[in-house]
């Protein structure tokens, strides 16, 4: 099981944000993206998730069960800045929808809704409309979405924004559990997540690329 | 996919959903016509099917821009695009849900509005039937416009303008079939069957076009 990123470059408007980024992550490995605001962390993660057409390069997912030509995005969970939950629906309805819409990827199984809510520390409130929750609780519930359906690769874009210290430790524990099960994690973050066996990629933004180009 | 259908239908009837707004707008448009035209009952019943159809067309344009935009704003669209399901199928399901939430209420409200227009039973029945068959086509056409304008803030008017030329044939055949049911020499079936054909044609082409637009809207 392997996620390979091969010479990926992406462009926003006229500017090349990053150029020729390559790395390979195997089971249980993680990659932390660091860098100041605007350095292209989110752009790289969106390109890997297949949400942004890369200027060049490709993202390849290799595993035993994978068919040829399968998009790498299908093996990924993406947690972006927005929570992808509907304020009008209850937390349970939201999670049930995503559980059934995602379906489990080959090689693992997701938790039940109750277990996932317990895992992020918000067991008793799944009946409330998502819009009633505080920003931190909403973020935790958005994270619970990753637990209800199995995907080997988690792409996390600033997962700990708007969270208190206890929630950060909960997230770190969940990420470690996922890595322990043979998952792969790519995260853009400012907080040290305290992971072992981690590669770090320091993004410099288009200024850095320009310097290296010229 | 059933989950997506249920979720979207639920959203359209809960607070902030478009279902009721469309029906209210439909009623407003049709209800003011008798006041504007005056109490000439013969004239009202003559223009009735056309007015009901125009009202339905305008109100179905009203909710179109929200079809993908709400999902984009909260990030759901990203996750929908990443899945393994064929995107065109996902869009088709979203169209069906949108029609159940926004189109079907218009069809159900149309007999009441037919009474406002002094239409007889046959005309009301024919208008309702043509709306039932024709409004899905408006949704499928609108899905393409909604997908093209998904990244634009306040793209609502743009969607209507993009979609209107393609929606005109639906209006023409819908209204002519409704008239054919009440006016004797004109046959009902040919325009009605063309309307059915338009709906089926766009049921295939609309989701494909919308899926293509959504894939390339990436940002």
């Amino acid at each position: 099981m392997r996620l390979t990123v091969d010479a990926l470059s992406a462009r926003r408007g006229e500017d090349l944000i990053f150029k020729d980024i390559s790395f390979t992550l195997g089971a249980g490995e993680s990659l932390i993206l660091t860098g100041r605001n605007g350095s292209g962390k989110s752009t790289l993660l969106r390109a890997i998730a297949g949400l942004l057409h890369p200027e060049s390069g490709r993202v390849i997912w290799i595993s035993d069960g994978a068919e040829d030509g399968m998009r790498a995005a299908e093996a990924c969970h993406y947690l972006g800045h927005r929570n992808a939950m509907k304020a009008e629906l209850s937390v349970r309805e939201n999670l049930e929808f995503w559980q059934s819409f995602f379906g489990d990827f080959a090689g693992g199984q997701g938790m039940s809704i109750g277990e996932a809510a317990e895992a992020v520390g918000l067991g008793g409130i799944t009946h409330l409309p998502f819009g009633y929750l505080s920003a931190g609780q909403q973020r935790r519930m958005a994270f619970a979405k990753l637990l209800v359906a199995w995907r080997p690769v988690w792409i996390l874009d600033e997962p700990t924004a708007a969270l208190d210290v206890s929630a950060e430790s909960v997230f770190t524990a969940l990420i470690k559990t996922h890595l322990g099960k043979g998952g792969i994690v790519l995260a853009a973050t400012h907080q040290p997540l305290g992971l072992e066996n981690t590669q770090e990629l320091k993004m410099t933004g288009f200024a850095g690329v320009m310097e290296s180009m010229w | 996919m059933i989950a997506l259908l249920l979720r979207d239908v639920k959203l359209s009837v809960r607070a902030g959903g478009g279902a009721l707004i469309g029906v209210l707008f439909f009623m407003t448009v049709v209800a003011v016509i008798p006041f504007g035209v005056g109490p000439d009952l013969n004239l009202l019943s003559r223009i009735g099917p056309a007015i009901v159809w125009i009202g339905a067309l305008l109100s179905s344009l009203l909710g179109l821009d929200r079809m993908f935009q709400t999902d984009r704003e909260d990030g759901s669209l990203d996750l929908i695009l990443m899945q393994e399901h064929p995107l065109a199928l996902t869009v088709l399901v979203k169209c069906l849900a949108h029609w159940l939430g926004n189109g079907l209420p218009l069809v159900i409200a149309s007999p009441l509005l037919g009474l406002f227009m002094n239409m007889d039973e046959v005309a009301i029945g024919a208008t309702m039937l043509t709306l039932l068959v024709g409004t899905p086509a408006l949704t499928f056409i609108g899905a393409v416009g909604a997908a093209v304008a998904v990244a634009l803030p306040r793209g609502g008017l743009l969607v209507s303008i993009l979609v209107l030329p393609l929606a005109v044939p639906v209006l023409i055949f819908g209204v002519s079939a409704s008239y054919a049911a009440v006016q004797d020499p004109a046959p009902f079936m040919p325009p009605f069957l063309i309307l059915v054909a338009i709906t089926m044609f766009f049921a295939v082409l609309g989701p494909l076009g919308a899926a293509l637009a959504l894939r390339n809207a990436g940002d």
Side-chain angles (χ1 to χ4, degrees), chain A residues 46 49 51-53 71 73-74 76 78 82 84-86 88-89 93 97-98 100-102 145 151, chain B residues 3-4 7 10-11 14-15 70-76 78-79 81-85 215 218-219:
Chain A
R46 287 185 73 81
L51 299 168
L52 185 78
H53 290 288
R71 292 181 303 137
E74 290 169 17
C76 300
Y78 174 73
R82 289 167 295 188
M85 306 278 260
K86 295 286 178 195
E88 299 91 337
L89 300 179
E93 284 171 325
F97 161 67
W98 284 120
S100 107
F101 190 73
F102 284 150
K145 191 167 82 247
R151 290 284 187 282
Chain B
L4 181 65
R7 180 190 79 145
K10 256 187 223 164
L11 282 172
R14 295 234 173 134
T70 49
D71 277 338
R72 184 176 185 279
E73 279 164 5
D74 66 15
S76 307
D78 288 342
L79 304 188
L81 288 176
M82 282 169 68
Q83 302 314 310
E84 137 188 51
H85 316 294
R215 277 254 181 265
D219 58 337

Side-chain angles (χ1 to χ4, degrees), chain A residues 14-17 19 204-214:
Chain A
E14 292 292 302
D15 300 315
L16 211 51
I17 302 287
K19 188 165 167 282
T204 49
F206 56 88
V209 172
M210 295 294 255
E211 279 161 27
S212 65
M213 277 172 69
W214 303 110

